[in-house]
Amino acid sequence: LLKAMSMPQVSLLLADDVGLGKTIQAGLIATELILRRRIKRILIVCPASLQVQWQEEMEEKFHLDFTILDADEARRTQRELGSDVNPWTVHNHIITSMDYLRQEVIYQDFEASAKKRQEEMGGAFAPWDLLIVDEAHHFAPKSTRDTKVLTQMMRRLTTWFEHRLFLTATPHDGYTSHFLGLLELLDPIR
């Protein structure tokens, strides 16, 4: 938390063992950034099996209300607000699964909403404030077709965010190139 608050642009890999509180660390950082008025819009990307857990943890421990954006929520939003409404524009705190977001049509909707918001803001600021990626090792560049799709999606996604937190219990799989690729997704300049 102290390291994140000292950074003008938060870009951290939280790599603790399973059960040691990576979710809590991310929640503390998000809450403090909100309290300091540095962020409003947060996207959490995680495996589908962890979405409800993230939602409950953020609500119970930090009083942050997150919407799980999946196909059902997108349909519900468009049914209530109109079929032309982009679901990515409706909520400031969203949790989505990596498999949902990697679908090209879904990612295009996300990107369209980000571009529109960036234009509304005069183009000077990132349209989203904080990206939290749980199980970030899934995005490390490897030679499998599935991983290539995820890596490419994450490379595109990170450009829309001012701050980034990657969480994983297994940051290094023994291949330096995979680890460096993960770090490059987190912060391509550094």
Side-chain angles (χ1 to χ4, degrees), residues 7-114:
M7 301 172 85
Q9 185 180 44
V10 178
S11 182
L12 292 174
L13 173 66
L14 304 179
D16 280 336
D17 218 349
V18 174
L20 291 184
K22 292 180 296 295
T23 305
I24 302 303
Q25 292 174 47
L28 287 169
I29 291 168
T31 301
E32 190 63 29
L33 288 170
I34 290 169
L35 291 172
R36 293 180 185 211
R37 298 177 190 234
R38 290 177 60 187
I39 67 169
K40 284 185 181 180
R41 302 190 80 213
I42 304 169
L43 176 64
I44 298 172
V45 178
C46 62
S49 61
L50 298 177
Q51 290 178 117
V52 172
Q53 180 182 336
W54 267 97
Q55 186 181 43
E56 290 172 352
E57 294 269 334
M58 293 298 104
E59 175 61 37
E60 291 171 14
K61 293 184 173 62
F62 304 103
H63 306 290
L64 295 174
D65 185 30
F66 277 83
T67 299
I68 296 174
L69 185 53
D70 55 13
D72 292 338
E73 178 61 24
R75 279 192 294 276
R76 187 196 65 74
T77 299
Q78 290 177 331
R79 198 172 42 251
E80 288 181 10
L81 302 176
S83 60
D84 61 336
V85 170
N86 185 329
W88 296 100
T89 63
V90 177
H91 306 284
N92 283 334
H93 298 157
I94 295 175
I95 298 170
T96 197
S97 76
M98 51 185 69
D99 289 328
Y100 181 69
L101 188 57
R102 82 178 187 172
Q103 298 173 60
E104 189 58 31
V105 68
I106 303 302
Y107 184 82
Q108 286 175 359
D109 284 347
F110 170 83
E111 198 166 68
S113 73

Side-chain angles (χ1 to χ4, degrees), residues 59-177:
E59 175 61 37
E60 291 171 14
K61 293 184 173 62
F62 304 103
H63 306 290
L64 295 174
D65 185 30
F66 277 83
T67 299
I68 296 174
L69 185 53
D70 55 13
D72 292 338
E73 178 61 24
R75 279 192 294 276
R76 187 196 65 74
T77 299
Q78 290 177 331
R79 198 172 42 251
E80 288 181 10
L81 302 176
S83 60
D84 61 336
V85 170
N86 185 329
W88 296 100
T89 63
V90 177
H91 306 284
N92 283 334
H93 298 157
I94 295 175
I95 298 170
T96 197
S97 76
M98 51 185 69
D99 289 328
Y100 181 69
L101 188 57
R102 82 178 187 172
Q103 298 173 60
E104 189 58 31
V105 68
I106 303 302
Y107 184 82
Q108 286 175 359
D109 284 347
F110 170 83
E111 198 166 68
S113 73
K115 286 178 182 177
K116 183 178 180 191
R117 182 166 171 85
Q118 192 169 41
E119 288 170 9
E120 291 169 356
M121 297 168 55
F125 301 99
W128 282 84
D129 299 313
L130 176 61
L131 173 64
I132 299 172
V133 180
D134 195 8
E135 302 289 328
H137 58 274
H138 290 291
F139 298 96
K142 298 174 186 157
S143 58
T144 66
R145 182 185 177 281
D146 215 33
T147 305
K148 286 180 181 178
V149 172
L150 285 172
T151 301
Q152 183 179 33
M153 185 267 295
M154 186 55 64
R155 193 168 280 129
R156 292 165 60 195
L157 183 67
T158 56
T159 62
W160 300 108
F161 291 83
E162 179 75 21
H163 308 282
R164 299 174 198 98
L165 288 175
F166 282 13
L167 288 61
T168 179
T170 53
H172 204 300
D173 63 359
Y175 296 96
T176 302
S177 62

